[in-house]
Amino acid sequence: MTVVNLAALKSANFRTYVSGSIFGLLAIWMQRVTVGWIAWDLTGSSSFVGLIAFVQFAPAIVLSPLFGVWVDRVDVKRATFLIQLVNFGVMFAFYIFFAVGWLAPVTMIALTLISGIALAANHPMRMSLAPRLVRRELVGSVVAIVAINFNVARTLGPAIGGVMIGTIGVAATLLVQALLFLPFLVALLRLEVRPRRDTATDPGSFFEALRQGLAHVWRTPVIWRAMVIGGALATIARGALEILPPLADGVFQRGPEGLGVLLTATGMGAVVGGFFKAALPPQAPGRIPNITISAIVVGLLMVSALGAAPGWMLALTVAAAIAFVTTLSAISMQTAIQMELEDDMRGRVMSLWAVVVAGGSAIGAWALGVLADLIGFQETLFWAGILSAAGLTLYLVISRRRG
């Protein structure tokens, strides 16, 4: 019988981080469903919902590598605390703007852009901080537990957000989201971070350090392959999951509660994917498991199935399956990458991973949203899934033949 790899929880330091971060993650996921609903309610446009998702993730394309270099040079605990303060401020600003009637499309874009900049910094910080809260041999367990924690919040947050919007209103929901961030800030103050384990490489100037990170990705086959496969999955599968308000309300007329249910279904699928990955045998270094690669192709085909779903229950099931695949693959590829890194390279390389995932999600959400307005939401998902699965399969066949 395979035992779930939760060894990192033996560390009280890491337990403090996990228990605090769940509050911040709940706030983020509640905000995602709330802001997505406001964008749809204000405009009734799939394109605008996709644009908001794009603005949320696009800064990561440009800024995450720069933040990654910064994280490798500063006190990661203090830097993380600073960025979480910014996140709290943005969430509170959303509440104020909505309460006084200033939250129009333009102000939504501005606040979301600030949130996106903080998110661009958060990715390399989170991926650098968590592994340094435990011994190096527990990094694989850390990746799995952090992903499970993330997806528990992904399950509960949308459900709570959708119910709260329908019962106490959008303004009160936004306020609760801001307040939920406070326990995470307290937890961060209590952490003890393992000293950085540096290599003998001199990082040199800021941009020389960035070049070294890019070169490390290029010359490490498993990292490069993870980036390519992860980018394809993020663009189509995660991009589709970022524009679910039109599916919940535009296709199935389920309102904000339906959106909460739909996002909860994706969260449940993601949690199962996280535990499934944790229950698998420990991942060998230097490779991406075959089960992950196969699951990704199936996941892209599930996007087509979501577009073709004739009923609400089937749509919920397929969305959960897509989330299962995205989580399983993300943990597998993050583990493969993290196992190839020393501490002084972790921020730079993981920031490039954030560029691929967040950038792919941003581009995919916007492109799919625009296409949905042009040819229909379900038609867009159907053809995007078919074509991306075929393209990725072709890439895998060619890369395998080339060795």
Side-chain angles (χ1 to χ4, degrees):
M1 178 179 179
T2 303
V3 178
V4 176
N5 185 12
L6 304 179
L9 288 177
K10 295 178 181 179
S11 165
N13 196 39
F14 184 64
R15 290 198 304 272
T16 298
Y17 172 78
V18 171
S19 60
S21 67
I22 188 66
F23 290 96
L25 290 169
L26 279 172
I28 289 171
W29 277 103
M30 288 174 67
Q31 184 197 35
R32 293 276 288 276
V33 69
T34 306
V35 171
W37 175 254
I38 294 171
W40 173 251
D41 194 46
L42 280 175
T43 66
S45 168
S46 297
S47 297
F48 186 69
V49 175
L51 176 61
I52 289 296
F54 177 81
V55 172
Q56 177 75 32
F57 292 112
I61 302 174
V62 177
L63 299 178
S64 276
L66 305 181
F67 282 122
V69 175
W70 182 53
V71 169
D72 283 339
R73 293 167 176 245
V74 300
D75 184 323
V76 67
K77 173 183 168 179
R78 292 181 181 178
T80 303
F81 184 83
L82 174 63
I83 292 302
Q84 305 319 314
L85 274 179
V86 174
N87 281 329
F88 168 75
V90 170
M91 291 185 184
F92 194 73
F94 262 111
Y95 161 69
I96 294 295
F97 273 60
F98 186 87
V100 301
W102 294 346
L103 198 58
V106 172
T107 50
M108 275 199 75
I109 291 172
L111 287 174
T112 303
L113 179 61
I114 298 171
S115 177
I117 293 171
L119 181 66
N122 186 64
H123 281 305
M125 289 178 186
R126 176 172 56 87
M127 295 177 184
S128 295
L129 175 63
R132 289 178 56 194
L133 300 175
V134 300
R135 301 188 309 274
R136 286 180 57 85
E137 59 267 25
L138 297 176
V139 167
S141 176
V142 166
V143 174
I145 293 168
V146 168
I148 291 170
N149 197 43
F150 176 88
N151 287 299
V152 167
R154 182 177 178 175
T155 301
L156 298 177
I160 295 170
V163 170
M164 290 182 67
I165 291 171
T167 55
I168 65 174
V170 173
T173 303
L174 289 169
L175 178 59
V176 170
Q177 291 163 18
L179 296 177
L180 277 174
F181 232 86
L182 297 179
F184 187 27
L185 292 171
V186 173
L188 286 172
L189 293 174
R190 299 177 57 195
L191 298 180
E192 296 182 6
V193 181
R194 172 169 54 80
R196 181 183 287 113
R197 175 177 165 179
D198 293 336
T199 64
T201 304
D202 180 9
S205 68
F206 191 89
F207 288 101
E208 171 61 19
L210 178 58
R211 187 201 66 77
Q212 290 176 6
L214 289 166
H216 188 78
V217 171
W218 180 256
R219 65 173 178 261
T220 310
V222 66
I223 297 180
W224 173 252
R225 196 177 191 206
M227 296 281 184
V228 172
I229 297 173
L233 186 68
T235 301
I236 302 302
R238 293 189 60 167
L241 295 180
E242 292 299 329
I243 56 169
L244 291 178
L247 182 68
D249 194 53
V251 176
F252 292 108
Q253 292 80 47
R254 297 284 174 158
E257 294 85 358
L259 177 58
V261 171
L262 183 57
L263 290 175
T264 298
T266 63
M268 291 176 66
V271 169
V272 174
F275 277 105
F276 180 80
K277 171 58 182 172
L280 292 175
Q283 187 167 319
R287 62 187 296 270
I288 301 170
N290 290 331
I291 188 174
T292 299
I293 295 175
S294 301
I296 290 172
V297 175
V298 173
L300 292 173
L301 292 174
M302 286 293 100
V303 175
S304 294
L306 184 62
W312 177 242
M313 293 305 299
L314 182 58
L316 291 176
T317 302
V318 174
I322 295 172
F324 174 93
V325 169
T326 58
T327 301
L328 170 65
S329 62
I331 298 173
S332 295
M333 289 184 283
Q334 284 184 48
T335 301
I337 295 171
Q338 291 271 26
M339 292 173 75
E340 300 292 319
L341 300 176
E342 294 290 348
D343 288 338
D344 66 335
M345 188 65 69
R346 206 175 296 280
R348 281 168 281 178
V349 173
M350 295 313 296
S351 71
L352 296 173
W353 167 255
V355 168
V356 169
V357 174
S361 299
I363 294 170
W366 194 9
L368 292 173
V370 170
L371 286 173
D373 280 342
L374 293 175
I375 66 173
F377 188 86
Q378 291 173 294
E379 291 82 357
T380 296
L381 295 189
F382 179 81
W383 287 109
I386 290 289
L387 295 175
S388 61
L392 181 60
T393 300
L394 180 62
Y395 164 78
L396 293 171
V397 170
I398 293 174
S399 62
R400 177 164 295 183
R401 287 180 177 177
R402 290 179 176 177

